[in-house]
Amino acid sequence: MPLTFNTLLRDAGLSLNAVRLLRHETQQHGSGRTPYALWRDDRGGFEDYQRIQKRERRSWFRGAHWASFVVAPDGRTLFAGLYAVDLAGDVPPTWEDPLAGRDLDFAAYELYRTVLCDELAEYIGRLVIDWGIGARQWAQLAGNQDKVIVELRERFIEPAFPGFARFIAQLSDLETLPAAWKAALVATRGVYLLSCPQTCEQYVGSATGADGFFGRWLAYVADGHGGNVGLKTRKPSDYRVSILQVAGSADDRDAILAMEAIWKDKLQSREMGLNRN
């Protein structure tokens, strides 16, 4: 039988019906920060982020323990801590959500007191579970959901770079990527694809500069278009970015531009996308 998270909760003397499992994944309001990055870099900010919850769910959240998880860049669900929780009251008018800023209707939310528990603290950042189907159900009752533990690491480590062929990210995620991922993208040039989530249009581009893919993509983060004519005609968007082809160490700028032209033809990104040359 596989080891499950509920086994750890029982061993800690906790009632499964009093534990809520919270899986924090969603990026908030285009801030460019994810709950995982907030947890990794600013634990206090992460706790402030999860302290506000919808008023309509008061009876479900109040007086319980929260077992919090964050979704790492590789998609794995990592244990972030067990919290004792109770209702604190209305959200103060000066409150600023660490991810959303003040772009929330705080009247619809309430503030909770959360205290990080000693129980299960040894597993923080080390334990990975299989959340299972129903990923959209980010808050679940432990008694109804016995999550399988798929990995217990010796220590917290950033997920390994998935490789250029598998790499996919939102532009807003770039600054929060693990350092090793950034280094790999800075050191590599080639041809990439931007996909607009609003219009479903594609743009084929090339990274030829000294800072590789990462440096080129940061230009889009800075102004929304990176100087490209086609992108200037659209509203700023959080484009999804992926890599089509990696250039060799001997490939110069002209060789990379030739690769880019081939991909524009293959994907017809001039006729049906955002490329204008």
Side-chain angles (χ1 to χ4, degrees):
M1 292 289 292
L3 181 63
T4 66
F5 188 70
N6 281 357
T7 300
L8 300 183
L9 293 174
R10 291 191 192 95
D11 289 347
L14 295 166
S15 169
L16 300 184
N17 289 329
V19 178
R20 309 309 190 232
L21 308 177
L22 275 58
R23 182 177 183 264
H24 301 292
E25 178 180 23
T26 306
Q27 212 168 267
Q28 296 279 329
H29 299 263
S31 66
R33 301 190 76 185
T34 62
Y36 169 82
L38 192 63
W39 169 82
R40 181 191 64 197
D41 301 333
D42 179 5
R43 296 293 172 90
F46 170 76
E47 293 177 12
D48 281 346
Y49 152 74
Q50 69 171 0
R51 286 180 63 197
I52 57 172
Q53 300 293 340
K54 286 288 186 69
R55 188 181 298 274
E56 63 193 32
R57 305 199 72 176
R58 175 192 299 179
S59 61
W60 200 80
F61 279 123
R62 185 178 183 180
H65 281 83
W66 294 352
S68 296
F69 298 84
V70 290
V71 179
D74 61 358
R76 292 195 159 201
T77 303
L78 185 69
F79 180 56
L82 179 73
Y83 294 86
V85 178
D86 205 355
L87 184 65
D90 293 335
V91 180
T94 57
W95 186 267
E96 184 162 321
D97 181 270
L99 288 187
R102 293 190 52 76
D103 188 21
L104 282 178
D105 176 13
F106 287 131
Y109 292 81
E110 291 180 311
L111 185 69
Y112 287 78
R113 285 182 291 269
T114 61
V115 179
L116 184 63
C117 299
D118 291 334
E119 293 88 348
L120 309 189
E122 65 204 86
Y123 300 109
I124 293 175
R126 299 175 53 223
L127 185 147
V128 179
I129 66 165
D130 178 5
W131 188 258
I133 61 174
R136 292 184 179 180
Q137 294 181 329
W138 66 275
Q140 301 179 3
L141 181 65
N144 295 336
Q145 302 289 336
D146 201 2
K147 306 296 186 183
V148 174
I149 297 172
V150 297
E151 186 178 357
L152 182 59
R153 302 166 178 170
E154 290 186 8
R155 64 188 187 282
F156 168 68
I157 55 174
E158 292 276 25
F161 184 65
F164 299 107
R166 293 176 178 269
F167 177 82
I168 300 174
Q170 301 298 129
L171 286 177
S172 62
D173 289 341
L174 292 180
E175 294 285 13
T176 63
L177 291 177
W181 295 34
K182 292 180 183 179
L185 295 168
V186 166
T188 310
R189 303 173 300 151
V191 183
Y192 59 85
L193 181 72
L194 297 183
S195 302
C196 179
Q198 298 174 354
T199 67
C200 299
E201 294 174 297
Q202 296 179 329
Y203 174 85
V204 174
S206 59
T208 61
D211 290 331
F213 287 115
F214 192 74
R216 183 67 188 106
W217 296 339
L218 286 183
Y220 299 112
V221 176
D223 60 21
H225 54 73
N228 299 120
V229 174
L231 272 63
K232 286 182 178 180
T233 66
R234 300 295 188 265
K235 294 180 180 180
S237 179
D238 187 15
Y239 291 93
R240 190 176 81 161
V241 64
S242 58
I243 295 172
L244 298 175
Q245 186 173 354
V246 172
S249 58
D251 290 321
D252 59 14
R253 184 175 185 275
D254 289 341
I256 297 174
L257 293 178
M259 297 174 194
E260 178 188 15
I262 292 172
W263 279 104
K264 289 177 182 177
D265 289 339
K266 286 182 178 181
L267 298 178
Q268 294 183 276
S269 60
R270 299 183 186 91
E271 298 85 356
M272 297 185 293
L274 292 168
N275 288 105
R276 297 294 181 263
N277 57 28

